[in-house]
Amino acid sequence: VTGNRRIEASAIMTVIKLKAGDLFFEEKVDEDIKAIFAIGSFTDVKAETSPSAKGIKLTYRVTEKPVIRDILFDGNKALSNDKLKEALDVKPNSIFSQKELLKSIVKIKKLYSDEGYSQAEIEPEKVNISPYEIKLTLKVTEGGKILIRTIKFEGNKAFDDSKLKGIMETKQDWWLAWLTGAGVYKDDVLKNDMLLITE
């Protein structure tokens, strides 16, 4: 095994089924490559062969995932860096994971939506600071808050609008936080700056 820096070769060898002295089969090499990938620490795994006195030499060349050395935020004003860091699944000095990054972005957007910034966007930027290390910057475009100016009911006969508004948790002149799960009815529909509730 070659190309590994943080992951011990012995740890990789434990998942490799082919051993010295075995007959060479490409199908078994493919299985070994899948097993090495399954460790979760590599972006690339290749098998290389070269002739030797007793047959062939088989080398697995691996490329490790980079380590996140620093995580920065850019463009955030409504929420502090500390608040945003609490939502991160990716952490400094950990191996970069695209899956964990996407989960972190979803959580940050949820934080903004709870504050009324339902149109906030998060754009990740990765910068290589060495062949094995990256700096991650999350660029935030907060957008404006959306305010509910009018709540209108259609089809209500038994109760007038004021009665229905009185029992609603969502109010006029509130920030549109109901989009994050605090809605009153499943049929809530936003039309421009009006919240339309249908029976």
Side-chain angles (χ1 to χ4, degrees), residues 168 170 178 182-190 195-198:
M168 288 180 62
T170 302
W178 59 269
V184 180
Y185 299 107
K186 65 179 180 180
D187 293 325
D188 290 358
V189 179
L190 178 68
L195 179 65
L196 176 65
I197 310 295
T198 58

Side-chain angles (χ1 to χ4, degrees), residues 5-6 64-72 90-96 127-130 132-137:
R5 292 172 58 86
R6 298 182 309 274
E64 292 183 349
K65 291 180 179 180
V67 171
I68 303 171
R69 288 305 181 199
D70 199 7
I71 301 177
L72 306 174
V90 290
K91 305 292 182 183
N93 299 316
S94 66
I95 296 175
F96 174 77
V127 176
N128 293 324
I129 57 179
S130 81
Y132 313 101
E133 302 169 302
I134 64 170
K135 178 177 69 175
L136 179 63
T137 301

Side-chain angles (χ1 to χ4, degrees), residues 12-59:
I12 302 172
M13 293 295 292
T14 59
V15 303
I16 295 175
K17 298 295 180 63
L18 274 174
K19 306 298 179 185
D22 290 348
L23 292 175
F24 178 86
F25 291 100
E26 290 188 1
E27 294 82 359
K28 291 186 177 181
V29 174
D30 291 339
E31 291 175 3
D32 282 346
I33 290 175
K34 292 177 181 178
I36 296 172
F37 263 122
I39 294 175
S41 299
F42 308 106
T43 59
D44 191 26
V45 180
K46 295 179 180 178
E48 301 174 350
T49 59
S50 58
S52 71
K54 297 180 180 180
I56 61 171
K57 180 174 70 174
L58 176 61
T59 302

